[in-house]
Amino acid sequence: MPSAEAPSSAVNSAVPIAILHGVWPANAEDLVPEARMLARKLGTYVESIDYGYTVTLPLDKQVQNACAKLQAHRVFGKEKMIDLIGHSNGGIVARAIAQNTERCLPGIRVRHYIAIGSPQNGVTLVPDAPMLSRFVFFTGLHRMRWFHHVASTSAYMYDSREPADDLSKNNAPSMLNTLNCGGFNTLSGDGGILGNVLLVMFDQDEVIRPKESSWFARVVGDSVLGECSPEHRLDLCDTEIWRADTIGLRELWDQDRLFFSRSPQQHDKLQEWEVESVLAPFFAGKSGSGEFEGLHVEYERIGRDMDVRIKLLHPNRREVV
């Protein structure tokens, strides 16, 4: 099983970290180096969890599988608190767990949550398939739950010309973002996370379209081909998610518990230096304080109504592409 262990004394004293892969189970093996590096840097137990084949499984079944693996695990199943990292699709699975731990993981709470290149507010394009995107939208297949069993990623799709309110019944991220599927909590509430949230966006992402969905942005009134021009983009601070604070992101921001990071890479191609200089310091930071040992913090203007957003970068790696 893909894992990386710290010395037993460290395992007993630190919060273990579970890493959830993207759509393909083979990604779990690909994330073993990340697990080993974090275990070495943090002195805790870290494992890349294989929660199964997800291509034909709707989100709720993926979450059930991941929770079953965590509950039965010799380390995670015995803990009262864990940290979660989710890559791509795994970031949505991890968030569904974090917003529903009482049901998914009884007796276990999520401390820190990191989502790396995840479609937090859905996608408007089937990766590398614009004609298929047109067909899916024209036929309305993205709204049909039975089709989510044929292609699970279709549950993330939305037609940007549709009102956001029309998405919440069948679009997986929208159901999480509007708490419209029962039993889910806000990220900042009593049943939510205990620590901090980090959202990572890939600047060269050609899979998550628009890429800004990794930061909860949404396209409105644009074409169905995944383009996201500024005039058609609602950044997080302009969305109802933020204005109504439906899942507690604004509360987390006010408490210095919500952070944003850019990666100059392609989709889910996080490099070793980023694991070492962004992820590891994030876990080593003080919960709720906004302080991260050894981590360079910059400010970036995102959206019209918020002055700044926090961007985490290695000070010597800004030009890396």
Tab-separated table of all heavy atoms in Angstrom, residues 89-131:
chain	number	residue	atom	x	y	z
A	89	ASN	N	-9.822	15.530	-8.739
A	89	ASN	CA	-11.075	14.948	-8.265
A	89	ASN	C	-11.022	14.623	-6.775
A	89	ASN	O	-12.009	14.768	-6.044
A	89	ASN	CB	-11.381	13.685	-9.064
A	89	ASN	CG	-12.642	12.982	-8.612
A	89	ASN	OD1	-13.734	13.408	-8.908
A	89	ASN	ND2	-12.472	11.869	-7.902
A	90	GLY	N	-9.853	14.202	-6.307
A	90	GLY	CA	-9.690	13.865	-4.894
A	90	GLY	C	-9.904	15.047	-3.970
A	90	GLY	O	-10.247	14.871	-2.796
A	91	GLY	N	-9.716	16.274	-4.493
A	91	GLY	CA	-9.963	17.448	-3.675
A	91	GLY	C	-11.437	17.640	-3.365
A	91	GLY	O	-11.800	18.126	-2.291
A	92	ILE	N	-12.299	17.240	-4.307
A	92	ILE	CA	-13.739	17.311	-4.068
A	92	ILE	C	-14.173	16.194	-3.125
A	92	ILE	O	-15.002	16.409	-2.232
A	92	ILE	CB	-14.513	17.229	-5.393
A	92	ILE	CG1	-14.056	18.334	-6.352
A	92	ILE	CG2	-16.016	17.330	-5.154
A	92	ILE	CD1	-14.243	19.731	-5.819
A	93	VAL	N	-13.621	15.007	-3.316
A	93	VAL	CA	-13.916	13.897	-2.407
A	93	VAL	C	-13.494	14.265	-0.988
A	93	VAL	O	-14.253	14.068	-0.022
A	93	VAL	CB	-13.200	12.611	-2.866
A	93	VAL	CG1	-13.401	11.490	-1.850
A	93	VAL	CG2	-13.711	12.176	-4.238
A	94	ALA	N	-12.299	14.843	-0.847
A	94	ALA	CA	-11.807	15.231	0.479
A	94	ALA	C	-12.680	16.309	1.095
A	94	ALA	O	-12.954	16.289	2.302
A	94	ALA	CB	-10.361	15.715	0.370
A	95	ARG	N	-13.160	17.252	0.280
A	95	ARG	CA	-14.027	18.312	0.829
A	95	ARG	C	-15.371	17.748	1.262
A	95	ARG	O	-15.931	18.160	2.297
A	95	ARG	CB	-14.223	19.436	-0.183
A	95	ARG	CG	-15.117	20.557	0.345
A	95	ARG	CD	-14.845	21.875	-0.329
A	95	ARG	NE	-15.341	21.944	-1.683
A	95	ARG	CZ	-16.565	22.372	-2.019
A	95	ARG	NH1	-17.416	22.756	-1.075
A	95	ARG	NH2	-16.926	22.447	-3.275
A	96	ALA	N	-15.905	16.814	0.494
A	96	ALA	CA	-17.162	16.178	0.892
A	96	ALA	C	-16.997	15.470	2.237
A	96	ALA	O	-17.908	15.490	3.080
A	96	ALA	CB	-17.613	15.189	-0.176
A	97	ILE	N	-15.833	14.867	2.452
A	97	ILE	CA	-15.558	14.225	3.741
A	97	ILE	C	-15.462	15.281	4.841
A	97	ILE	O	-16.050	15.144	5.917
A	97	ILE	CB	-14.261	13.402	3.667
A	97	ILE	CG1	-14.434	12.222	2.711
A	97	ILE	CG2	-13.855	12.901	5.058
A	97	ILE	CD1	-13.158	11.451	2.439
A	98	ALA	N	-14.714	16.359	4.565
A	98	ALA	CA	-14.508	17.410	5.562
A	98	ALA	C	-15.821	18.077	5.956
A	98	ALA	O	-15.976	18.542	7.095
A	98	ALA	CB	-13.524	18.445	5.024
A	99	GLN	N	-16.781	18.138	5.019
A	99	GLN	CA	-18.066	18.767	5.311
A	99	GLN	C	-19.086	17.775	5.871
A	99	GLN	O	-20.233	18.160	6.127
A	99	GLN	CB	-18.649	19.405	4.034
A	99	GLN	CG	-17.919	20.655	3.566
A	99	GLN	CD	-18.544	21.289	2.347
A	99	GLN	OE1	-17.857	21.593	1.381
A	99	GLN	NE2	-19.863	21.493	2.358
A	100	ASN	N	-18.673	16.534	6.084
A	100	ASN	CA	-19.628	15.515	6.531
A	100	ASN	C	-18.948	14.453	7.386
A	100	ASN	O	-19.262	13.277	7.287
A	100	ASN	CB	-20.277	14.853	5.304
A	100	ASN	CG	-21.548	14.104	5.654
A	100	ASN	OD1	-22.138	14.318	6.709
A	100	ASN	ND2	-21.950	13.197	4.781
A	101	THR	N	-18.001	14.865	8.210
A	101	THR	CA	-17.229	13.884	8.980
A	101	THR	C	-18.090	13.110	9.976
A	101	THR	O	-17.815	11.946	10.258
A	101	THR	CB	-16.082	14.570	9.748
A	101	THR	OG1	-16.602	15.691	10.487
A	101	THR	CG2	-15.004	15.045	8.805
A	102	GLU	N	-19.133	13.752	10.513
A	102	GLU	CA	-19.960	13.061	11.505
A	102	GLU	C	-20.580	11.801	10.931
A	102	GLU	O	-20.755	10.800	11.630
A	102	GLU	CB	-21.045	14.003	12.023
A	102	GLU	CG	-20.503	15.180	12.810
A	102	GLU	CD	-21.593	16.156	13.203
A	102	GLU	OE1	-22.737	15.980	12.735
A	102	GLU	OE2	-21.309	17.092	13.964
A	103	ARG	N	-20.956	11.864	9.646
A	103	ARG	CA	-21.551	10.701	8.995
A	103	ARG	C	-20.497	9.814	8.342
A	103	ARG	O	-20.568	8.591	8.422
A	103	ARG	CB	-22.568	11.161	7.943
A	103	ARG	CG	-23.244	10.002	7.214
A	103	ARG	CD	-24.153	10.512	6.093
A	103	ARG	NE	-25.200	11.385	6.602
A	103	ARG	CZ	-26.099	11.982	5.827
A	103	ARG	NH1	-26.058	11.825	4.510
A	103	ARG	NH2	-27.028	12.742	6.360
A	104	CYS	N	-19.501	10.442	7.701
A	104	CYS	CA	-18.504	9.679	6.941
A	104	CYS	C	-17.463	9.020	7.828
A	104	CYS	O	-17.087	7.866	7.617
A	104	CYS	CB	-17.791	10.592	5.939
A	104	CYS	SG	-18.844	11.274	4.662
A	105	LEU	N	-16.986	9.766	8.822
A	105	LEU	CA	-15.908	9.290	9.685
A	105	LEU	C	-16.276	9.548	11.146
A	105	LEU	O	-15.711	10.441	11.787
A	105	LEU	CB	-14.587	9.984	9.344
A	105	LEU	CG	-14.008	9.770	7.941
A	105	LEU	CD1	-12.795	10.652	7.737
A	105	LEU	CD2	-13.647	8.306	7.727
A	106	PRO	N	-17.208	8.799	11.704
A	106	PRO	CA	-17.625	9.037	13.088
A	106	PRO	C	-16.438	8.990	14.047
A	106	PRO	O	-15.622	8.079	14.003
A	106	PRO	CB	-18.590	7.875	13.364
A	106	PRO	CG	-19.077	7.453	12.017
A	106	PRO	CD	-17.925	7.665	11.089
A	107	GLY	N	-16.340	10.015	14.873
A	107	GLY	CA	-15.265	10.054	15.858
A	107	GLY	C	-13.968	10.638	15.351
A	107	GLY	O	-13.001	10.767	16.109
A	108	ILE	N	-13.907	10.989	14.062
A	108	ILE	CA	-12.691	11.558	13.465
A	108	ILE	C	-13.020	12.955	12.935
A	108	ILE	O	-14.042	13.165	12.301
A	108	ILE	CB	-12.154	10.676	12.320
A	108	ILE	CG1	-11.872	9.254	12.826
A	108	ILE	CG2	-10.897	11.282	11.711
A	108	ILE	CD1	-11.438	8.295	11.733
A	109	ARG	N	-12.136	13.916	13.178
A	109	ARG	CA	-12.296	15.264	12.650
A	109	ARG	C	-11.161	15.579	11.679
A	109	ARG	O	-10.058	15.065	11.813
A	109	ARG	CB	-12.288	16.286	13.786
A	109	ARG	CG	-13.476	16.188	14.725
A	109	ARG	CD	-14.785	16.547	14.055
A	109	ARG	NE	-14.787	17.898	13.527
A	109	ARG	CZ	-15.083	18.981	14.251
A	109	ARG	NH1	-15.409	18.850	15.528
A	109	ARG	NH2	-15.090	20.169	13.686
A	110	VAL	N	-11.465	16.439	10.712
A	110	VAL	CA	-10.455	16.898	9.765
A	110	VAL	C	-9.866	18.198	10.289
A	110	VAL	O	-10.602	19.134	10.617
A	110	VAL	CB	-11.052	17.114	8.366
A	110	VAL	CG1	-10.010	17.735	7.427
A	110	VAL	CG2	-11.550	15.789	7.790
A	111	ARG	N	-8.544	18.241	10.368
A	111	ARG	CA	-7.877	19.473	10.796
A	111	ARG	C	-7.632	20.367	9.569
A	111	ARG	O	-8.418	21.237	9.265
A	111	ARG	CB	-6.563	19.162	11.522
A	111	ARG	CG	-5.883	20.406	12.080
A	111	ARG	CD	-4.540	20.105	12.729
A	111	ARG	NE	-3.574	19.577	11.767
A	111	ARG	CZ	-2.254	19.578	11.959
A	111	ARG	NH1	-1.761	20.077	13.075
A	111	ARG	NH2	-1.444	19.061	11.061
A	112	HIS	N	-6.547	20.132	8.832
A	112	HIS	CA	-6.235	20.939	7.659
A	112	HIS	C	-6.720	20.244	6.386
A	112	HIS	O	-6.706	19.014	6.287
A	112	HIS	CB	-4.729	21.179	7.541
A	112	HIS	CG	-4.149	21.959	8.669
A	112	HIS	ND1	-4.818	22.985	9.307
A	112	HIS	CD2	-2.926	21.878	9.285
A	112	HIS	CE1	-4.047	23.496	10.246
A	112	HIS	NE2	-2.901	22.841	10.261
A	113	TYR	N	-7.109	21.063	5.403
A	113	TYR	CA	-7.584	20.552	4.112
A	113	TYR	C	-6.884	21.308	2.989
A	113	TYR	O	-6.895	22.538	2.956
A	113	TYR	CB	-9.101	20.732	4.014
A	113	TYR	CG	-9.686	20.670	2.620
A	113	TYR	CD1	-9.631	19.505	1.856
A	113	TYR	CD2	-10.305	21.791	2.057
A	113	TYR	CE1	-10.187	19.463	0.574
A	113	TYR	CE2	-10.868	21.751	0.791
A	113	TYR	CZ	-10.800	20.586	0.053
A	113	TYR	OH	-11.340	20.543	-1.211
A	114	ILE	N	-6.256	20.554	2.066
A	114	ILE	CA	-5.618	21.134	0.886
A	114	ILE	C	-6.266	20.530	-0.351
A	114	ILE	O	-6.400	19.311	-0.464
A	114	ILE	CB	-4.103	20.857	0.850
A	114	ILE	CG1	-3.393	21.560	2.008
A	114	ILE	CG2	-3.500	21.331	-0.476
A	114	ILE	CD1	-1.883	21.330	2.028
A	115	ALA	N	-6.668	21.385	-1.289
A	115	ALA	CA	-7.203	20.933	-2.575
A	115	ALA	C	-6.264	21.422	-3.669
A	115	ALA	O	-5.995	22.623	-3.775
A	115	ALA	CB	-8.606	21.465	-2.807
A	116	ILE	N	-5.768	20.502	-4.484
A	116	ILE	CA	-4.758	20.814	-5.492
A	116	ILE	C	-5.366	20.628	-6.881
A	116	ILE	O	-5.601	19.505	-7.329
A	116	ILE	CB	-3.521	19.915	-5.311
A	116	ILE	CG1	-2.917	20.140	-3.918
A	116	ILE	CG2	-2.484	20.188	-6.400
A	116	ILE	CD1	-1.792	19.193	-3.561
A	117	GLY	N	-5.659	21.738	-7.551
A	117	GLY	CA	-6.222	21.676	-8.893
A	117	GLY	C	-7.567	20.979	-8.938
A	117	GLY	O	-7.812	20.143	-9.804
A	118	SER	N	-8.470	21.357	-8.039
A	118	SER	CA	-9.781	20.696	-7.943
A	118	SER	C	-10.893	21.595	-8.486
A	118	SER	O	-10.873	22.809	-8.266
A	118	SER	CB	-10.089	20.340	-6.480
A	118	SER	OG	-9.096	19.480	-5.950
A	119	PRO	N	-11.892	21.018	-9.157
A	119	PRO	CA	-12.984	21.814	-9.743
A	119	PRO	C	-14.017	22.225	-8.697
A	119	PRO	O	-15.145	21.752	-8.693
A	119	PRO	CB	-13.581	20.848	-10.770
A	119	PRO	CG	-13.350	19.494	-10.186
A	119	PRO	CD	-12.017	19.582	-9.481
A	120	GLN	N	-13.625	23.138	-7.816
A	120	GLN	CA	-14.454	23.495	-6.670
A	120	GLN	C	-15.804	24.082	-7.069
A	120	GLN	O	-16.773	23.959	-6.332
A	120	GLN	CB	-13.705	24.492	-5.775
A	120	GLN	CG	-12.382	24.002	-5.225
A	120	GLN	CD	-12.535	22.970	-4.119
A	120	GLN	OE1	-13.639	22.597	-3.737
A	120	GLN	NE2	-11.416	22.495	-3.607
A	121	ASN	N	-15.859	24.736	-8.224
A	121	ASN	CA	-17.124	25.315	-8.662
A	121	ASN	C	-17.508	24.793	-10.049
A	121	ASN	O	-18.196	25.479	-10.819
A	121	ASN	CB	-17.047	26.847	-8.666
A	121	ASN	CG	-18.371	27.494	-8.288
A	121	ASN	OD1	-19.383	26.816	-8.096
A	121	ASN	ND2	-18.382	28.813	-8.187
A	122	GLY	N	-17.077	23.572	-10.358
A	122	GLY	CA	-17.467	22.932	-11.606
A	122	GLY	C	-16.585	23.291	-12.789
A	122	GLY	O	-15.661	24.095	-12.688
A	123	VAL	N	-16.871	22.665	-13.947
A	123	VAL	CA	-16.116	22.897	-15.180
A	123	VAL	C	-17.094	23.089	-16.334
A	123	VAL	O	-18.230	22.621	-16.282
A	123	VAL	CB	-15.165	21.723	-15.503
A	123	VAL	CG1	-14.094	21.586	-14.442
A	123	VAL	CG2	-15.928	20.412	-15.640
A	124	THR	N	-16.615	23.777	-17.372
A	124	THR	CA	-17.470	24.041	-18.530
A	124	THR	C	-16.984	23.328	-19.778
A	124	THR	O	-17.441	23.622	-20.877
A	124	THR	CB	-17.530	25.548	-18.822
A	124	THR	OG1	-16.208	26.030	-19.089
A	124	THR	CG2	-18.120	26.304	-17.646
A	125	LEU	N	-16.058	22.383	-19.604
A	125	LEU	CA	-15.494	21.701	-20.760
A	125	LEU	C	-15.033	20.313	-20.392
A	125	LEU	O	-14.379	20.119	-19.359
A	125	LEU	CB	-14.299	22.494	-21.304
A	125	LEU	CG	-13.570	21.922	-22.522
A	125	LEU	CD1	-14.446	22.055	-23.761
A	125	LEU	CD2	-12.233	22.635	-22.734
A	126	VAL	N	-15.389	19.315	-21.202
A	126	VAL	CA	-14.781	17.996	-21.071
A	126	VAL	C	-13.337	18.129	-21.521
A	126	VAL	O	-13.075	18.661	-22.607
A	126	VAL	CB	-15.511	16.952	-21.950
A	126	VAL	CG1	-14.817	15.605	-21.867
A	126	VAL	CG2	-16.965	16.839	-21.528
A	127	PRO	N	-12.367	17.710	-20.709
A	127	PRO	CA	-10.965	17.901	-21.064
A	127	PRO	C	-10.654	17.429	-22.484
A	127	PRO	O	-10.928	16.281	-22.847
A	127	PRO	CB	-10.221	17.064	-20.024
A	127	PRO	CG	-11.134	17.076	-18.834
A	127	PRO	CD	-12.520	17.047	-19.411
A	128	ASP	N	-10.081	18.343	-23.287
A	128	ASP	CA	-9.613	18.034	-24.642
A	128	ASP	C	-10.724	17.512	-25.556
A	128	ASP	O	-10.450	16.780	-26.501
A	128	ASP	CB	-8.466	17.004	-24.601
A	128	ASP	CG	-7.290	17.507	-23.782
A	128	ASP	OD1	-6.950	18.696	-23.911
A	128	ASP	OD2	-6.725	16.713	-23.015
A	129	ALA	N	-11.964	17.881	-25.286
A	129	ALA	CA	-13.068	17.346	-26.100
A	129	ALA	C	-14.164	18.401	-26.283
A	129	ALA	O	-15.267	18.258	-25.743
A	129	ALA	CB	-13.633	16.088	-25.462
A	130	PRO	N	-13.896	19.463	-27.035
A	130	PRO	CA	-14.913	20.510	-27.199
A	130	PRO	C	-16.179	20.026	-27.886
A	130	PRO	O	-17.281	20.454	-27.536
A	130	PRO	CB	-14.186	21.571	-28.051
A	130	PRO	CG	-13.044	20.849	-28.686
A	130	PRO	CD	-12.637	19.800	-27.711
A	131	MET	N	-16.063	19.112	-28.872
A	131	MET	CA	-17.251	18.620	-29.554
A	131	MET	C	-18.107	17.778	-28.621
A	131	MET	O	-19.340	17.853	-28.648
A	131	MET	CB	-16.855	17.818	-30.800
A	131	MET	CG	-16.170	18.651	-31.880
A	131	MET	SD	-17.148	20.116	-32.340
A	131	MET	CE	-18.591	19.321	-33.052
